[in-house]
Amino acid sequence: MKKLLLSAVIIMMAMVGFSQKYAYINSEYILSNMSEYKEAQAELNRVAVMWQKEIEAKFAAIDSMYKRYQVEAITMPEQIKKSREEAIISEEKAAKELQKKRFGQDGDLFKKREELVKPIQDRVISTVNDYAKEKGYAFVFDTAGEMTIIYADPKWDINQPVMQKLGISVNSELDED
């Protein structure tokens, strides 16, 4: 009797495991169709270009200082040469620090991206979670990025219903690409 009961429990657990539903999304596709994401990306690009110009201007000024130093170095006393060299090195160090501050790991651009894009990504994730719970999916995979799926049956693609819940309408001609 115990063996029969144990077998029944194992069979029921296996059936529950096989009856789980899976779905997938492509978060890059969803985000690329969100106007607020496009606006955030445009703002990030604008800020990055502005900061890059700022850094390029600093390096151009340093280059100009160095060229002027090379021309004038012939007639300069040793103490003034050393002082100018230190000033050039100091300016170059400051420019590199600014570059690191703006574009380095955990730099200003990273923080700006977190400020602008993370709330949008969080909204998509929350919507996917709500939709998955509503439809009874055990797992929802994201095919964007590192996730590799060799085959995905289109019937499990939930991009469109997630986008509808987010209020995104997509021209069907674009979907066929």
Side-chain angles (χ1 to χ4, degrees), residues 63-125:
D63 189 49
S64 177
M65 283 174 67
Y66 182 70
K67 286 178 180 173
R68 208 170 40 250
Y69 165 79
Q70 284 180 316
V71 169
E72 298 170 355
I74 300 168
T75 60
M76 265 186 224
E78 200 58 40
Q79 188 175 0
I80 294 176
K81 273 188 193 180
K82 191 168 186 124
S83 171
R84 296 268 299 267
E85 287 171 1
E86 288 173 359
I88 292 169
I89 290 169
S90 176
E91 287 296 317
E92 188 173 21
K93 187 176 180 182
K96 287 180 180 178
E97 283 297 315
L98 179 62
Q99 187 174 33
K100 184 178 177 183
K101 178 183 181 278
R102 296 286 194 223
F103 296 105
Q105 187 176 0
D106 295 329
D108 294 341
L109 188 63
F110 175 81
K111 290 174 186 167
K112 191 73 170 171
R113 182 175 285 115
E114 285 284 307
E115 173 191 324
L116 295 174
V117 175
K118 189 169 181 344
I120 299 167
Q121 291 172 325
D122 290 347
R123 188 170 145 231
V124 170
I125 290 168

Side-chain angles (χ1 to χ4, degrees), residues 170-177:
V170 178
N171 186 345
S172 62
E173 293 173 16
L174 297 176
D175 293 341
E176 296 172 4
D177 291 340

Side-chain angles (χ1 to χ4, degrees), residues 13-167:
M13 287 176 58
M15 289 174 65
V16 168
F18 288 122
S19 67
Q20 291 179 343
K21 290 173 31 176
Y22 305 93
Y24 68 91
I25 62 162
N26 182 328
S27 59
E28 289 177 11
Y29 171 73
I30 292 172
L31 290 169
S32 70
N33 283 287
M34 295 180 75
S35 60
E36 59 261 51
Y37 180 77
K38 291 175 186 176
E39 291 166 7
Q41 286 299 111
E43 175 65 11
L44 282 173
N45 291 340
R46 186 192 66 74
V47 167
V49 166
M50 180 181 70
W51 286 340
Q52 185 61 37
K53 286 179 180 177
E54 175 187 26
I55 291 166
E56 287 172 358
K58 288 201 176 289
F59 279 111
I62 293 165
D63 189 49
S64 177
M65 283 174 67
Y66 182 70
K67 286 178 180 173
R68 208 170 40 250
Y69 165 79
Q70 284 180 316
V71 169
E72 298 170 355
I74 300 168
T75 60
M76 265 186 224
E78 200 58 40
Q79 188 175 0
I80 294 176
K81 273 188 193 180
K82 191 168 186 124
S83 171
R84 296 268 299 267
E85 287 171 1
E86 288 173 359
I88 292 169
I89 290 169
S90 176
E91 287 296 317
E92 188 173 21
K93 187 176 180 182
K96 287 180 180 178
E97 283 297 315
L98 179 62
Q99 187 174 33
K100 184 178 177 183
K101 178 183 181 278
R102 296 286 194 223
F103 296 105
Q105 187 176 0
D106 295 329
D108 294 341
L109 188 63
F110 175 81
K111 290 174 186 167
K112 191 73 170 171
R113 182 175 285 115
E114 285 284 307
E115 173 191 324
L116 295 174
V117 175
K118 189 169 181 344
I120 299 167
Q121 291 172 325
D122 290 347
R123 188 170 145 231
V124 170
I125 290 168
S126 175
T127 303
V128 169
N129 289 343
D130 292 346
Y131 184 80
K133 288 174 188 170
E134 178 184 312
K135 296 297 181 179
Y137 291 112
F139 297 97
V140 176
F141 298 98
D142 187 356
T143 59
E146 296 291 319
M147 178 80 178
T148 303
I149 295 178
I150 304 301
Y151 171 77
D153 187 337
K155 75 179 181 182
W156 300 113
D157 178 350
I158 61 170
N159 283 314
Q160 293 304 320
V162 167
M163 289 170 58
Q164 285 175 336
K165 282 188 162 280
L166 287 165

